Each structure stands twice: as C-alpha cells, then as structure tokens.
C-alpha cells in the first residue's frame, strides 16, 4: 500500500507548489467564483481532514465533523505550508489498521453513525476529497490568479488521467 501513501504525499506536494506562488492577500481573497469563499478555506478544509486522520489514528477513531476549523490555515500561507509539511511526515509513517469512523449524516449532530473503516481507506478518502477541492481551486486560479502555475494533474483524478491518456492513443 505504499503507493497510496505516495499518492497522498503527491497531492500534498501539489498544494505546496501552488501555495509557494501565493501571498496571504491572494490566498484569503474572497472570490466571486467561489461564492465569496477563498482558496484558503478550501485548503484549510483539505488539511483539517488529513489532520483528523493523523490525530485519530492512534486512538483508532476518526471524526471529521469535529475538525478544528483553524482560520490561520485559511489566511496564512506560511502556516498552511508548515501544516502540509507536518501532515506529509505523518502520512509517510502511516500503516494500515482498523479504525472507527464517526459521522453525522443528519442535521441532528447528536445522531452519530459508527462505521468500520481502516487507516488506508480513510487515506484514500482524503486523497479523493483533496482532488475534488483542488479541482475547485484550479478553476478559481484560472479565473482570478492565472499566473499561479499548477501541475498538469492538479485537481484531476488518476482514473480520469488514465482515461484521457487512453483516448489520445
């Protein structure tokens, strides 16, 4: 399963490369395309889900609904870059083992679902979730910050990349 860990690290590196080209004002600018949200809010959301997995793994329990929502992650590029580095280190040490996912799928947050999962299943979820948000970020970059360069595969699912390559042949 080392490839799964490598995939997570690759996605985080892509975020790093993007952030290396942005300043705090760009990162935290409310954008019309994002319904007055910011690129920083999307990055914060991505990082906090990874953080939930990292901190929940030792207890074999993860609850994404209880993430911190640290506004510094959405406003401060250097802080976000430091968090990415921290998460990458933790991901590289991950081993698969069972864990319990706690999730609220109703407005009544007291009603929690207990779901059997595993560290690598949740890591796979985080990768997919990150790519989804990165696709949204990429649209905003193209419209509002066209000078920010991203990897060609930024925000594109690996299965889509493979399919597109097959179509070209």
């Amino acid at each position: 399963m080392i490839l799964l860990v490598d995939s997570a690290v690759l996605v985080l590196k892509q975020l790093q490369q993007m952030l290396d080209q942005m300043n705090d004002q760009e990162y935290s600018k409310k954008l019309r395309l994002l319904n007055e949200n910011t690129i920083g809010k999307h990055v914060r959301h991505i990082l906090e889900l990874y953080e939930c997995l990292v901190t929940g793994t030792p207890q074999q329990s993860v609850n994404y609904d209880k993430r911190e929502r640290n506004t510094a992650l959405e406003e401060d590029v250097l802080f976000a870059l430091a968090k990415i580095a921290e998460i990458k280190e933790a991901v590289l040490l991950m081993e698969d083992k069972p864990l319990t996912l706690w999730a609220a799928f109703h407005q009544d947050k007291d009603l929690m679902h207990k779901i059997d999962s595993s560290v690598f299943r949740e890591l796979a979820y985080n990768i997919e979730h990150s790519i989804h948000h990165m696709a949204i970020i990429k649209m905003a970059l193209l419209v509002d910050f066209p000078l920010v360069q991203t990897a060609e595969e930024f925000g594109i699912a690996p299965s889509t990349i493979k399919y597109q390559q097959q179509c070209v042949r």
Side-chain angles (χ1 to χ4, degrees):
M1 279 299 194
I2 193 71
L3 291 176
L4 187 64
V5 168
D6 291 343
S7 295
V9 169
L10 175 64
V11 166
L12 293 165
K13 282 182 181 177
Q14 290 174 358
L15 278 176
Q16 276 181 312
Q17 291 167 347
M18 178 203 68
L19 289 178
D20 282 337
Q21 302 170 66
M22 300 190 81
N23 61 44
D24 292 345
Q25 292 73 33
E26 294 165 333
Y27 183 62
S28 62
K29 181 181 178 186
K30 292 181 180 180
L31 303 175
R32 185 169 183 242
L33 182 66
L34 299 180
N35 199 28
E36 300 303 312
N37 282 303
T38 69
I39 289 172
K41 285 182 188 242
H42 283 273
V43 172
R44 175 192 52 79
H45 183 70
I46 291 168
L47 297 181
E48 287 185 342
L49 266 65
Y50 274 103
E51 195 170 32
C52 285
L53 178 58
V54 167
T55 59
T57 295
Q59 293 81 31
Q60 294 182 282
S61 179
V62 66
N63 184 337
Y64 299 117
D65 295 327
K66 290 188 176 180
R67 61 190 180 276
E68 186 178 342
R69 293 172 173 88
N70 183 344
T71 56
L73 281 174
E74 66 188 55
E75 297 169 351
D76 185 334
V77 170
L78 292 178
F79 186 71
L81 283 166
K83 182 58 71 178
I84 290 171
E86 180 184 308
I87 292 169
K88 278 190 341 191
E89 285 183 31
V91 166
L92 285 168
L93 298 173
M94 283 185 169
E95 296 178 7
D96 199 17
K97 58 184 170 184
L99 61 74
T100 301
L101 170 65
W102 294 93
F105 293 107
H106 305 279
Q107 289 178 339
D108 179 1
K109 293 232 180 207
D110 293 335
L111 180 59
M112 296 296 292
H113 294 270
K114 179 182 178 186
I115 303 165
D116 292 333
S117 190
S118 73
V119 172
F120 281 0
R121 171 63 193 100
E122 294 308 311
L123 185 59
Y125 166 74
N126 273 265
I127 294 166
E128 293 279 335
H129 180 260
S130 298
I131 292 168
H132 166 75
H133 279 274
M134 289 164 66
I136 296 167
I137 290 168
K138 190 171 192 172
M139 288 187 295
L141 291 173
L142 290 170
V143 171
D144 290 284
F145 305 110
L147 297 179
V148 174
Q149 300 294 306
T150 59
E152 191 173 322
E153 63 273 12
F154 187 99
I156 304 173
S159 62
T160 301
I161 294 168
K162 287 178 190 172
Y163 175 76
Q164 290 171 341
Q165 289 169 342
Q166 289 172 353
C167 289
V168 171
R169 293 181 200 167

